[in-house]
Amino acid sequence: MVLSLVSICAREVVSDHSASPCWLRWVPRELYRPLLEAAFSGCRPLAVGELVQRWPERTLRVGGRRKQGQTAPNRLCIQALLLAVVRGLSDQRYALQVLDLCGLQGDEGGMGDPMGGWSLTVALCTMAVQAKAGAQRAQRREGERERKRFSALEREKDVKRERGQWKRGKELNGDGMGTDNKDLSWKSCGVLSEEEVIKGVRRRMEMERKRESAVAGSGGSRKETESVNSDVLVHVRADLFVNARSWERVRVALNTSGPLKLQCRYLRVEEISVSSIRTLLDLLPRQGLLGIDVRYSNLGVAGLAELLPLLSTFPALSSLRLHYCNLDFRRDHPGQEEALRDLSLGLTTLQELRRLSLTALRLPGQLRVLLSSLPQPLEILELPYLSLSPADLAYLSCSHHASTLQQLDLSENHVDQTTLPSIRRLLSQASSSLQHLSLSGCGLTDGLLGLLLPSLGGCWALKSLALALNPLSMAGLMDLVRMAVRMPSLRHLLYPNPLEDYQPGLPDLPSSAQLLDWPLDEATDINTTSSQLKRVLMDGGRSDVFLTCDLLNYDKDLVD
Ligand SMILES: *[C@@H]1O[C@H](CO)[C@@H](O)[C@H](O)[C@H]1NC(C)=O
Ligand SMILES: *[C@@H]1O[C@H](CO)[C@@H](O)[C@H](O)[C@H]1NC(C)=O
């Protein structure tokens, strides 16, 4: 990573916190951003707090996509940031209106003590509730001050009135001067206009605030109109992660109308019921929700069908991911056909859906019901552990999604002679769009892979290919890598350990679970395999392809 001169200087400046009171006042606004970045990367929570509390722009974006090798911001720094925003709210001059924390979460327990999505969500909810309480306290104080000011004015008027009466009395007694009288009328005029000035300023501020929140939340629904009338000062956008332990807190925070308004980009929920998910969705602002990810929740087909009409009220929703949601389809259960029809009907309303991930559902033969209802062709389709039937794959290869797919994950679905033609047709349909493909754990033998290679080789846009946990021999792997040499866009290839590298005793056609668990032969050096494969790549002039058999550390997202 090459550092700019500004960022090197910024690091130096934030490293000495004791000096910050001296320089902070003189920092031009253009330097706040590099200073804040330096404070985050140098883990300087105090500097983060001071910069954020004086943030000179309307928008502050922290997080987003991290560059390779960049760690997520440290937890203490994030806490300092949130506290500083709440402090800033009580400052009339505070410019901040939008705090964008999307993508800020890291992996809990990762390098540099980042904040995970769950903790960040809880912290944001606490912050929203605290901000509301703070605003109420301030309002009470302001009301008190206002009352005092008013009674002081009243007192002053009374005093003046008395004095005037006294003067007028003197006038009547004949010793008054005309100038005094003029002076008095000027003064009482001044008192009145002062009162009016105060009122006018307050009214103007209120109107301004209303106009601003109208601009920020320009949506049509009744909910949005309500929020326009509230006192939102800062809109906070983030990815939220909610489970049973945090649901209540999130519900309260989303239902709080205070100076901070939470908005969600990606919502991930885990282990909570359909009705609790409904409650959350009801409370979320309609604009801006791009995706929802439901995990380990016992939805069932009927539960998902119940949620879909609600999901369709989020106009930007483009991603739906369901992992282990018990969407089993059992023909022998009463009401299942009906629930499936509702599900299909609900899916027709997801106008913007581009990504669908379904993990571990047992819906064999029902893929057509799910996917044919979607109004738009999908770009990302993840169907791992789905026990796809030959009918499912045949449908997929002819569906309106086939030619737009950019990412396809069919891992852990069994491929054999009967389904191979469908996979080949699917690949040829997707050949110009497909960038990421996973066929890990699909039971691909040397013979099956040999039949698939021409179709794979035709995918000229393919950047990453994952084929882990397939029973391939060294000869099969060599064929694979020779083909990889001819794939112009390929950058990442995850290959399986060849059968020769396992200890003796592996069954003839091992399952992916057996390939995962069976010990590798200590005697064979895995470097031999990898260096043999790398040599093929080098000889083909393809040093740009990253070759790995490390299943756990494989991340196709590093390719982009
Ligand atoms: C939200 O708060 C209002 C009162 O402010 C309450 O009536 C309503 O039930 C709450 N809704 C939820 C879903 O918590
Ligand atoms: C295998 O390769 C790694 C990294 O290239 C190296 O550190 C290790 O020493 C090699 N192992 C053997 C047995 O050569």
Side-chain angles (χ1 to χ4, degrees):
M1 195 167 55
V2 182
L3 292 174
S4 69
L5 184 58
V6 169
S7 65
I8 292 169
C9 295
R11 265 185 199 197
E12 200 53 43
V13 169
V14 297
S15 68
D16 182 7
H17 180 260
S18 63
S20 63
C22 315
W23 54 259
L24 211 53
R25 269 186 307 154
W26 310 109
V27 171
R29 53 198 288 165
E30 302 84 71
L31 290 182
Y32 270 73
R33 170 53 60 186
L35 284 169
L36 184 64
E37 274 166 19
F40 269 116
S41 66
C43 191
R44 299 276 161 192
L46 292 172
V48 168
E50 295 198 351
L51 288 161
V52 170
Q53 195 180 341
R54 291 169 184 77
W55 194 251
E57 315 276 347
R58 286 182 186 203
T59 302
L60 170 54
R61 190 166 288 129
V62 190
R65 252 191 112 92
R66 280 180 285 278
K67 295 183 203 94
Q68 203 171 341
Q70 216 174 5
T71 53
N74 169 276
R75 169 188 304 272
L76 293 175
C77 288
I78 297 174
Q79 279 161 351
L81 169 115
L82 301 185
L83 282 174
V85 171
V86 175
R87 277 201 306 272
L89 290 175
S90 58
D91 184 348
Q92 302 262 320
R93 294 158 301 173
Y94 200 37
L96 191 69
Q97 290 175 3
V98 176
L99 176 64
D100 188 340
L101 304 178
C102 295
L104 180 64
Q105 66 276 12
D107 293 324
E108 205 91 43
M111 286 268 290
D113 193 18
M115 207 175 211
W118 188 86
S119 310
L120 180 62
T121 301
V122 169
L124 286 175
C125 290
T126 308
M127 173 189 173
V129 172
Q130 274 174 356
K132 160 100 184 214
Q136 279 170 335
R137 272 197 306 277
Q139 222 164 25
R140 272 199 299 277
R141 271 201 306 273
E142 180 63 22
E144 187 67 16
R145 259 202 300 275
E146 200 62 33
R147 209 176 46 72
K148 278 190 189 143
R149 208 159 23 201
F150 186 70
S151 51
L153 281 170
E154 285 290 305
R155 243 192 335 271
E156 201 177 331
K157 259 198 294 188
D158 285 350
V159 168
K160 276 171 188 161
R161 207 175 299 129
E162 267 167 39
R163 222 185 267 154
Q165 273 165 4
W166 177 71
K167 273 189 183 154
R168 259 197 301 282
K170 271 219 258 183
E171 243 171 77
L172 285 177
N173 292 341
D175 52 6
M177 303 289 286
T179 46
D180 260 24
N181 220 346
K182 238 186 264 161
D183 192 31
L184 176 73
S185 66
W186 176 79
K187 267 196 179 154
S188 66
C189 198
V191 168
L192 277 179
S193 64
E194 195 182 331
E195 216 174 331
E196 249 157 27
V197 164
I198 292 173
K199 235 192 254 166
V201 166
R202 221 181 313 148
R203 203 176 303 135
R204 234 180 306 134
M205 277 170 57
E206 272 166 14
M207 269 157 54
E208 204 144 13
R209 205 184 276 174
K210 262 185 206 158
R211 212 186 44 238
E212 275 168 13
S213 54
V215 169
S218 53
S221 76
R222 194 173 49 83
K223 280 220 178 72
E224 236 95 37
T225 330
E226 276 165 15
S227 82
V228 166
N229 295 330
S230 69
D231 294 328
V232 178
L233 297 177
V234 177
H235 292 261
V236 184
R237 239 168 104 59
D239 301 327
L240 300 181
F241 171 18
V242 189
N243 67 7
R245 273 195 302 143
S246 58
W247 178 81
E248 178 59 23
R249 273 210 241 191
V250 178
R251 183 189 65 78
V252 169
L254 287 176
N255 201 22
T256 298
S257 54
L260 286 183
K261 176 115 188 119
L262 290 183
Q263 295 182 351
C264 183
R265 181 183 67 163
Y266 287 109
L267 174 67
R268 176 172 152 196
V269 296
E270 251 182 55
E271 294 183 89
I272 62 178
S273 66
V274 175
S275 69
S276 297
I277 297 174
R278 280 193 75 97
T279 305
L280 285 188
L281 291 175
D282 270 330
L283 290 172
L284 280 182
R286 288 298 175 261
Q287 310 289 329
L289 183 73
L290 298 187
I292 174 164
D293 186 344
V294 185
R295 302 184 185 195
Y296 315 109
S297 296
N298 189 11
L299 297 185
V301 174
L304 178 58
E306 193 188 323
L307 287 179
L308 287 175
L310 196 49
L311 290 181
S312 71
T313 62
F314 293 89
L317 190 82
S318 66
S319 166
L320 174 62
R321 312 178 74 181
L322 304 166
H323 296 273
Y324 297 91
C325 291
N326 275 345
L327 295 183
D328 296 1
F329 180 72
R330 309 265 291 275
R331 230 171 259 282
D332 48 333
H333 283 206
Q336 287 282 282
E337 295 281 355
E338 212 171 34
L340 203 61
R341 240 192 338 271
D342 289 347
L343 188 61
S344 164
L345 209 63
L347 287 169
T348 61
T349 62
L350 302 183
Q351 285 297 332
E352 291 305 316
L353 203 71
R354 293 294 187 281
R355 173 185 200 143
L356 181 64
S357 306
L358 306 170
T359 305
L361 314 185
R362 280 177 295 265
L363 287 166
Q366 304 297 334
L367 199 63
R368 176 193 296 272
V369 177
L370 292 178
L371 298 191
S372 64
S373 314
L374 294 172
Q376 301 285 339
L378 293 169
E379 290 167 4
I380 303 180
L381 180 59
E382 293 167 309
L383 304 169
Y385 296 93
L386 220 63
S387 15
L388 292 175
S389 70
D392 287 331
L393 287 168
Y395 158 72
L396 190 57
S397 70
C398 304
S399 72
H400 67 302
H401 308 291
S403 59
T404 53
L405 290 175
Q406 294 170 14
Q407 294 189 28
L408 177 64
D409 184 352
L410 293 177
S411 55
E412 301 294 339
N413 286 286
H414 195 69
V415 173
D416 58 21
Q417 293 284 355
T418 54
T419 48
L420 198 71
S422 296
I423 304 266
R424 292 184 58 170
R425 188 169 338 116
L426 180 56
L427 291 181
S428 88
Q429 289 290 313
S431 61
S432 57
S433 59
L434 197 61
Q435 296 175 17
H436 303 283
L437 173 65
S438 176
L439 293 172
S440 290
C442 289
L444 291 172
T445 57
D446 286 359
L448 287 170
L449 184 68
L451 295 171
L452 205 54
L453 280 182
S455 311
L456 279 173
C459 294
W460 54 265
L462 203 64
K463 293 180 184 168
S464 80
L465 175 59
L467 288 170
L469 304 178
N470 283 297
L472 295 178
S473 75
M474 195 59 203
L477 279 185
M478 288 299 242
D479 289 344
L480 172 66
V481 176
R482 275 195 281 270
M483 186 211 56
V485 168
R486 298 195 303 274
M487 297 179 72
S489 305
L490 197 70
R491 295 293 177 271
H492 235 99
L493 178 60
L494 176 67
Y495 66 90
N497 295 110
L499 295 173
E500 290 92 330
D501 283 4
Y502 284 90
Q503 284 183 13
L506 199 63
D508 264 355
L509 271 181
S511 67
S512 66
Q514 285 164 331
L515 289 171
L516 185 63
D517 293 339
W518 207 268
L520 289 171
D521 199 344
E522 303 285 341
T524 67
D525 179 5
I526 47 169
N527 284 4
T528 319
T529 305
S530 94
S531 59
Q532 264 177 302
L533 297 176
K534 278 194 184 125
R535 177 136 309 280
V536 178
L537 281 180
M538 293 304 160
D539 290 349
R542 292 301 302 273
S543 55
D544 57 347
V545 179
F546 178 70
L547 200 61
T548 180
C549 61
D550 187 354
L551 182 60
L552 297 179
N553 292 313
Y554 174 75
D555 183 4
K556 68 169 169 35
D557 293 336
L558 291 180
V559 176
D560 291 323

mmCIF file of all heavy atoms in Angstrom, residues 525-527 530 534, ligand 2:
data_model
loop_
_atom_site.group_PDB
_atom_site.id
_atom_site.type_symbol
_atom_site.label_atom_id
_atom_site.label_comp_id
_atom_site.label_asym_id
_atom_site.label_seq_id
_atom_site.Cartn_x
_atom_site.Cartn_y
_atom_site.Cartn_z
ATOM 1 N N ASP A 525 3.828 -35.053 -0.137
ATOM 2 C CA ASP A 525 4.009 -33.643 0.157
ATOM 3 C C ASP A 525 2.990 -32.855 -0.667
ATOM 4 O O ASP A 525 2.998 -32.919 -1.891
ATOM 5 C CB ASP A 525 5.444 -33.273 -0.245
ATOM 6 C CG ASP A 525 5.723 -31.816 0.001
ATOM 7 O OD1 ASP A 525 4.838 -31.140 0.572
ATOM 8 O OD2 ASP A 525 6.810 -31.375 -0.384
ATOM 9 N N ILE A 526 2.081 -32.142 0.021
ATOM 10 C CA ILE A 526 1.063 -31.422 -0.758
ATOM 11 C C ILE A 526 1.688 -30.336 -1.630
ATOM 12 O O ILE A 526 1.097 -29.907 -2.600
ATOM 13 C CB ILE A 526 -0.057 -30.799 0.113
ATOM 14 C CG1 ILE A 526 0.525 -30.039 1.300
ATOM 15 C CG2 ILE A 526 -1.063 -31.815 0.567
ATOM 16 C CD1 ILE A 526 -0.517 -29.199 2.011
ATOM 17 N N ASN A 527 2.930 -29.957 -1.265
ATOM 18 C CA ASN A 527 3.611 -28.976 -2.120
ATOM 19 C C ASN A 527 3.907 -29.556 -3.502
ATOM 20 O O ASN A 527 3.979 -28.816 -4.467
ATOM 21 C CB ASN A 527 4.928 -28.520 -1.481
ATOM 22 C CG ASN A 527 4.662 -27.551 -0.337
ATOM 23 O OD1 ASN A 527 3.517 -27.293 0.003
ATOM 24 N ND2 ASN A 527 5.738 -27.033 0.229
ATOM 25 N N SER A 530 0.768 -28.996 -5.542
ATOM 26 C CA SER A 530 0.553 -27.594 -5.887
ATOM 27 C C SER A 530 1.667 -27.085 -6.798
ATOM 28 O O SER A 530 1.398 -26.316 -7.724
ATOM 29 C CB SER A 530 0.398 -26.742 -4.628
ATOM 30 O OG SER A 530 1.602 -26.180 -4.236
ATOM 31 N N LYS A 534 1.104 -25.522 -10.401
ATOM 32 C CA LYS A 534 1.570 -24.144 -10.647
ATOM 33 C C LYS A 534 2.481 -24.094 -11.869
ATOM 34 O O LYS A 534 2.451 -23.125 -12.636
ATOM 35 C CB LYS A 534 2.294 -23.600 -9.418
ATOM 36 C CG LYS A 534 1.324 -23.086 -8.386
ATOM 37 C CD LYS A 534 1.992 -22.252 -7.314
ATOM 38 C CE LYS A 534 0.961 -21.867 -6.264
ATOM 39 N NZ LYS A 534 1.332 -22.240 -4.916
HETATM 40 C C1 LIG B 2 5.650 -26.131 1.214
HETATM 41 O O1 LIG B 2 5.511 -24.801 0.777
HETATM 42 C C2 LIG B 2 5.461 -23.836 1.806
HETATM 43 C C3 LIG B 2 5.174 -22.487 1.193
HETATM 44 O O2 LIG B 2 5.612 -22.407 -0.099
HETATM 45 C C4 LIG B 2 6.801 -23.877 2.553
HETATM 46 O O3 LIG B 2 6.780 -22.932 3.619
HETATM 47 C C5 LIG B 2 7.014 -25.260 3.110
HETATM 48 O O4 LIG B 2 8.273 -25.329 3.721
HETATM 49 C C6 LIG B 2 6.924 -26.299 1.994
HETATM 50 N N1 LIG B 2 6.973 -27.648 2.570
HETATM 51 C C7 LIG B 2 7.835 -28.577 2.143
HETATM 52 C C8 LIG B 2 7.783 -29.878 2.860
HETATM 53 O O5 LIG B 2 8.608 -28.369 1.219
#
